[in-house]
Amino acid sequence: DIQMTQSPSSLSASVGDRVTITCRSSQNINNYLNWYQHKRGKGHQLLIYAASSLQSGVPSRFSGSGSGTDFTLTISSLQPEDFATYYCQQSYSTPPTFGGGTKVEIK
Amino acid sequence: QVQLQESGPGLVKPSETLSLTCTVSGGSVSSDNYYWSWIRQSPGKGLEWIGYIHYSGSTDYNPSLKSRVTISLDTSKNQFSLSLTSVTAADTALYYCARADVGLVVYFDFWGQGILVTVSS
């Protein structure tokens, strides 16, 4: 299975901050990388697919980049509703696998 | 807006079978474009894909669970189900159902909120 490693596992930030989360795969996955947001008690929300494509309805402050083994999710200006846990997921090969998550907390 | 809701027992005894159902609203499990998935999350293992099913009957399972898993579809009720046999404490987890878009890139675009299943005697 392809291993997905996210960093950091948690971070504290303030409203308005620029936030960057990194995801690294154990092998080349081209651009087969997706990002999700999860708030406790709710379903996960797809933010970015194919590394950099913004899912319909997702605010433009979210962006994704990267290819190969290194990927980044950026929130350009953190909003109060963005405090949540973020996961990456590869779909290059079966089984699809997820990163361990990055919890974004209020500073 | 597609919505998914998991249901089933929250407590299962070791060695028994875990059975969960996902009810889909706002969309059809008979759609040709999507697979219907189960994913779980336990404290020790993070998010783990269990498997998915297409309305044609085609399935794909995680090799780590394949010998114990069956996913089935009930188009008349717009539901799909998970059966996991011979459970142990390691199967204690939050279980999510989700819709998978399996175009060029496979992603899960709608998820249920999850159901906690504890394996204990």
Side-chain angles (χ1 to χ4, degrees):
Chain A
D1 297 0
I2 297 176
Q3 306 303 313
M4 306 301 294
T5 304
Q6 283 182 240
S7 60
S9 57
S10 66
L11 64 89
S12 296
S14 300
V15 172
D17 284 354
R18 181 181 182 88
V19 170
T20 299
I21 298 168
T22 297
C23 178
R24 177 166 290 175
S25 56
S26 60
Q27 65 185 72
N28 185 349
I29 60 171
N30 293 332
N31 71 332
Y32 291 82
L33 191 283
N34 310 312
W35 289 98
Y36 302 87
Q37 178 193 69
H38 184 233
K39 298 178 183 178
R40 187 170 295 206
K42 295 192 173 183
H44 293 64
Q45 181 185 8
L46 175 68
L47 300 174
I48 303 285
Y49 63 94
S52 60
S53 295
L54 191 68
Q55 172 69 346
S56 175
V58 174
S60 59
R61 63 181 180 273
F62 291 94
S63 64
S65 64
S67 184
T69 60
D70 293 300
F71 302 86
T72 299
L73 174 70
T74 300
I75 309 172
S76 60
S77 177
L78 197 66
Q79 298 302 300
E81 60 268 31
D82 301 337
F83 292 97
T85 302
Y86 294 84
Y87 296 93
C88 61
Q89 173 244 324
Q90 67 80 21
S91 62
Y92 181 79
S93 67
T94 298
T97 48
F98 295 82
T102 297
K103 187 172 184 179
V104 177
E105 299 174 302
I106 301 173
K107 182 182 280 186
Chain B
Q1 177 83 344
V2 176
Q3 293 185 314
L4 298 94
Q5 179 68 57
E6 305 88 352
S7 59
L11 181 64
V12 182
K13 290 183 168 54
S15 79
E16 294 190 346
T17 297
L18 179 159
S19 296
L20 297 174
T21 295
C22 182
T23 301
V24 179
S25 57
S28 173
V29 298
S30 299
S31 172
D32 194 40
N33 298 326
Y34 304 108
Y35 278 63
W36 302 93
S37 316
W38 288 98
I39 297 163
R40 69 181 184 179
Q41 183 167 26
S42 56
K45 293 194 72 174
L47 284 162
E48 180 180 32
W49 174 76
I50 299 170
Y52 47 40
I53 187 167
H54 185 259
Y55 92 98
S56 64
S58 171
T59 56
D60 198 4
Y61 300 131
N62 193 318
S64 68
L65 297 167
K66 189 172 186 175
S67 63
R68 298 193 292 130
V69 172
T70 302
I71 298 176
S72 57
L73 206 59
D74 186 337
T75 55
S76 66
K77 296 181 179 178
N78 217 33
Q79 295 176 334
F80 61 105
S81 298
L82 170 69
S83 175
L84 181 65
T85 62
S86 305
V87 297
T88 69
D91 295 309
T92 293
L94 258 173
Y95 285 78
Y96 297 98
C97 57
R99 188 179 83 170
D101 187 310
V102 294
L104 192 59
V105 176
V106 176
Y107 52 78
F108 303 98
D109 57 355
F110 291 98
W111 297 57
Q113 61 188 34
I115 183 169
L116 178 62
V117 179
T118 301
V119 178
S120 175
S121 55

